[in-house]
């Protein structure tokens, strides 16, 4: 049916956009992503953000980072939450410097997110910036003293509270 409709339509991109949006409205992110990724230039910022989240959860951080970036460039507000997720995508897609910048911007907007701070600490450690990583890890433990990941990272960094 889809192939037949594409053959009959004079504007395949518009058809993909309409069908992809319908899938997105129905909560079917996989099929929506397959279609909307092909018409990226026609998407509104919220659709770009939805695709970014889908790709991040699906294990494709490279595509996620691309769609997060596109969402922000199209006018999506740079919220602490959005920047934290963007940082995760960047860290997982081998762009640690970009991830550090995104995590720091996120924390500047809202420093009450231990997950973002821990991701910053881990990224800094991976970059060999151990002193900075230790400072961020200790800040996580100040808020969440039993955070196992932070405790493990602090131990790996050779530090103590």
């Amino acid at each position: 049916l889809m192939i037949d409709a594409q053959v009959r339509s004079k504007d395949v991109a518009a058809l993909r956009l309409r069908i992809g949006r319908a899938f997105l409205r129905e909560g079917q992110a996989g099929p929506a992503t397959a279609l909307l990724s092909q018409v990226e230039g026609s998407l509104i910022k919220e659709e770009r953000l939805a695709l970014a989240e889908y790709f991040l959860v699906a294990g494709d951080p490279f595509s996620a980072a691309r769609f997060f970036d596109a969402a922000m460039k199209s006018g999506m507000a740079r919220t602490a939450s959005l920047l934290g997720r963007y940082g995760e995508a960047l860290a997982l897609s081998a762009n640690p410097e970009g991830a550090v910048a995104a995590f720091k911007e996120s924390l500047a907007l809202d420093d009450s997110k231990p997950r973002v701070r821990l991701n910053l600490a881990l990224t800094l450690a991976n970059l060999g910036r151990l002193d900075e990583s230790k400072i961020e890890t200790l800040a996580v433990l100040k808020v969440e003293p039993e955070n196992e990941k932070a405790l493990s990272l602090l131990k790996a960094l050779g530090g103590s509270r």
Side-chain angles (χ1 to χ4, degrees):
L1 179 65
M2 177 70 170
I3 294 170
D4 186 45
Q6 286 181 355
V7 170
R8 291 182 188 191
S9 174
K10 294 190 187 304
D11 188 355
V12 176
L15 180 64
R16 286 182 178 141
L17 186 61
R18 283 194 307 271
I19 295 171
R21 284 178 170 160
F23 277 128
L24 202 56
R25 279 192 303 275
E26 295 298 316
Q28 297 183 32
T33 300
L35 292 164
L36 295 176
S37 293
Q38 298 173 28
V39 291
E40 188 175 332
S42 301
L43 302 178
I44 60 173
K45 58 191 172 191
E46 292 81 7
E47 291 166 337
R48 289 181 174 128
L49 182 59
L51 293 179
E53 284 292 341
Y54 171 80
F55 279 121
L56 188 56
V57 171
D60 183 353
F62 297 96
S63 295
R66 187 178 89 232
F67 278 100
F68 277 124
D69 189 54
M72 289 183 286
K73 285 181 179 172
S74 69
M76 179 67 67
R78 294 174 75 92
T79 64
S81 178
L82 173 63
L83 289 160
R85 297 294 282 166
Y86 181 47
E88 288 178 38
L90 291 170
L92 292 169
S93 63
N95 184 350
E97 293 295 342
V100 167
F103 291 141
K104 285 185 175 184
E105 187 177 348
S106 174
L107 290 167
L109 294 171
D110 181 0
D111 68 351
S112 69
K113 307 278 190 222
R115 177 182 172 147
V116 173
R117 192 168 300 281
L118 182 58
N119 285 332
L120 173 60
L122 288 164
T123 305
L124 289 167
N126 288 334
L127 286 168
R129 295 163 58 180
L130 305 182
D131 290 338
E132 292 174 79
S133 178
K134 189 182 286 188
I135 290 168
E136 298 300 337
T137 304
L138 289 169
V140 170
L141 290 169
K142 186 174 183 178
V143 177
E144 293 182 346
E146 302 304 317
N147 185 311
E148 291 183 27
K149 291 179 182 176
L151 289 168
S152 295
L153 179 57
L154 185 61
K155 184 177 180 181
L157 292 169
S160 61
R161 293 190 218 189

